[in-house]
Each structure stands twice: as C-alpha cells, then as structure tokens.
Amino acid sequence: MSSGSGKSSWPEVVGLPAEAAKQKILADRPDVQVVVLPVGSFVTTEFNPKRVRVFINPAGDVAQVPKIG
C-alpha cells in the first residue's frame, strides 16, 4: 500500500471540509498534488503516485477516503 515514502491514504479526513483535508494531506505528504473533485466526477484511470484525489459531497465535505493514485 505504501511505497515507503509516507502515507498513502487518509481515512481520518472523511467528513472534514475539503480545504482542511487538503491541508492535512499536504502536511503528511508535501510531495503530492491534491485534486479536489465532486463525487461522481469522471477521472482518468492511470495511477499517479504523486496525486491524491479528494472527492467531496455537495456540502463540500470529504465523502470518500482520499488515497494516492
């Protein structure tokens, strides 16, 4: 799951506002790009070890566990 360079998922941010979740992820892994998207967004399927997608609900809160990829 982890490539040895730090965390690869953030279950603790589910339910937080998107910006708070983004800051927590970047504090743990400053080497990744955090992309905030609405749940149900169309996304590419390629794996990117430097990307974390954060899916948010209509209220702007994290709806799924963000993970590397």
Side-chain angles (χ1 to χ4, degrees), residues 5-43:
S5 59
K7 289 185 73 166
S8 61
S9 67
W10 288 264
E12 68 273 18
V13 303
V14 172
L16 291 179
E19 189 58 34
K22 183 176 179 177
Q23 294 308 314
K24 168 66 175 143
I25 293 165
L26 289 172
D28 291 340
R29 290 288 305 270
D31 61 315
V32 300
Q33 176 189 18
V34 178
V35 181
V36 178
L37 300 163
V39 168
S41 294
F42 288 103
V43 295

